């Protein structure tokens, strides 16, 4: 009977132990500053890899980038923007006219409908201009919180934090801003990142996640913040 009871207690405690092993200790304030100092040293003026020349072009590009790569979006917008780069021109194209330009991008049917509806709403409610407030941006077809954050930060210089899969991964792995949800990580980053780094933090983190702290096999030996990072399963360097 005692053995059965012990097994039950062990089983009951197992999930807690499993969760504990996944918990990442949070970076100290001095470590956070050092992390961003190093990322800044590597890339003093980071920006998005999406190609754009106006806030509207950025809005369209970010909308198209959902579940697509920046490289793929850039290939499409290089064909599209010389032909239609304003809400009026996109609205004039219409959904069927827009599709051929973005057909290489995933979910292009839905995205075409959203981009045209967005253009029409910008014309009707905002005089063809991209609004500079979150509420108006998120009210546009196809625009969620992440897209609004990117536009506010990159086009208008607001200190927002757009959390995608790369930033979510880096924030949790490193201990910079651990969180179970995208919004939790966003809030944690806004509370953790020093003001002097906040404007560029989104770009530094997304680029670090895209090229160094990769999902399947992070390139820890080449990581400039390896000694600060709290990730326990760092990949080893090549034997010498």
């Amino acid at each position: 009977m005692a053995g059965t009871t012990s097994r039950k207690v062990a089983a009951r405690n197992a999930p807690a132990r499993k969760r504990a092993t996944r918990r990442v200790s949070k970076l100290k304030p001095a470590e956070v500053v050092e992390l961003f100092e190093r990322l800044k040293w590597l890339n003093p003026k980071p920006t998005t890899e999406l190609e754009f020349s106006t806030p509207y072009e950025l809005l369209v590009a970010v909308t198209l980038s959902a579940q697509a790569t920046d490289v793929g979006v850039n290939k499409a917008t290089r064909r599209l923007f010389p032909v239609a780069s304003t809400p009026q021109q996109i609205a004039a194209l219409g959904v069927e006219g827009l599709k051929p330009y973005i057909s290489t991008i995933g979910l292009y049917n839905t995205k075409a409908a959203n981009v045209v509806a967005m253009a029409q709403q910008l014309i009707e409610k905002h005089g063809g201009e991209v609004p500079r407030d979150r509420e108006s941006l998120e009210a546009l077809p196809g625009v969620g919180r992440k897209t609004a954050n990117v536009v506010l930060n990159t086009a208008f210089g607001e200190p927002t934090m757009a959390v995608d899969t790369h930033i979510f991964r880096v924030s949790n792995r490193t201990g910079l801003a651990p969180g179970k949800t995208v919004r939790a990580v966003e809030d944690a980053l806004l509370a953790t990142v020093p003001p002097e780094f906040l404007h560029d933090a989104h770009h530094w983190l997304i680029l670090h996640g895209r090229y160094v702290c990769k999902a399947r096999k992070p390139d820890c030996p080449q990581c400039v913040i390896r000694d600060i990072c709290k990730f326990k399963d760092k990949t080893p360097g090549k034997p010498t």
Side-chain angles (χ1 to χ4, degrees):
M1 186 71 176
T4 302
T5 301
S6 298
R7 286 194 295 273
K8 289 181 178 179
V9 171
R12 196 164 53 240
N13 290 335
R17 287 201 302 273
K18 188 175 182 181
R19 286 193 298 271
T21 60
R22 293 177 179 174
R23 189 174 298 139
V24 177
S25 57
K26 201 170 185 300
L27 294 181
K28 298 176 181 177
E31 292 174 319
V32 173
V33 172
E34 181 64 21
L35 180 151
F36 283 109
E37 287 285 6
R38 295 184 190 182
L39 294 179
K40 181 179 180 180
W41 175 78
L42 280 179
N43 188 356
K45 296 182 178 180
T47 188
T48 179
E49 293 187 321
L50 292 171
E51 298 172 359
F52 71 98
S53 58
T54 66
Y56 178 66
E57 287 186 359
L58 175 64
L59 177 60
V60 171
V62 178
T63 302
L64 295 175
S65 71
Q67 299 183 45
T69 65
D70 288 359
V71 171
V73 172
N74 288 338
K75 287 180 179 178
T77 56
R78 285 171 196 162
R79 297 190 301 268
L80 173 64
F81 289 157
V83 175
S85 61
T86 67
Q88 292 82 358
Q89 291 170 334
I90 292 290
L93 272 183
V95 175
E96 294 306 316
L98 176 58
K99 284 182 182 180
Y101 293 99
I102 65 171
S103 59
T104 55
I105 300 175
L107 306 176
Y108 73 92
N109 286 310
T110 299
K111 291 176 181 179
N114 283 334
V115 169
V116 170
M118 177 201 304
Q120 293 168 338
Q121 189 164 315
L122 287 173
I123 295 168
E124 294 168 3
K125 295 187 177 182
H126 304 284
E129 299 294 325
V130 177
R132 300 184 62 146
D133 65 282
R134 179 186 303 282
E135 183 178 0
S136 297
L137 282 169
E138 291 187 19
L140 296 171
V143 177
R145 185 176 182 86
K146 185 179 75 172
T147 297
N149 277 335
V150 173
V151 173
L152 289 170
N153 177 275
T154 306
F156 300 128
E158 298 292 334
T160 56
M161 187 64 64
V163 178
D164 69 347
T165 56
H166 297 300
I167 294 179
F168 185 83
R169 179 174 65 254
V170 171
S171 297
N172 276 285
R173 273 184 180 171
T174 61
L176 173 62
K180 293 183 178 180
T181 66
V182 167
R183 184 58 189 273
V185 169
E186 178 186 333
D187 292 342
L189 284 169
L190 291 173
T192 300
V193 179
E196 63 268 30
F197 300 116
L198 193 53
H199 176 263
D200 293 323
H202 160 76
H203 300 298
W204 281 320
L205 294 175
I206 194 172
L207 292 172
H208 188 69
R210 183 174 292 166
Y211 296 113
V212 181
C213 194
K214 294 171 281 192
R216 293 186 179 181
K217 189 177 181 181
D219 192 5
C220 298
Q222 303 302 317
C223 178
V224 71
I225 59 171
R226 176 188 172 97
D227 58 312
I228 301 173
C229 172
K230 303 299 183 181
F231 186 48
K232 294 180 179 180
D233 301 319
K234 292 184 175 74
T235 54
K238 293 181 180 179
T240 56

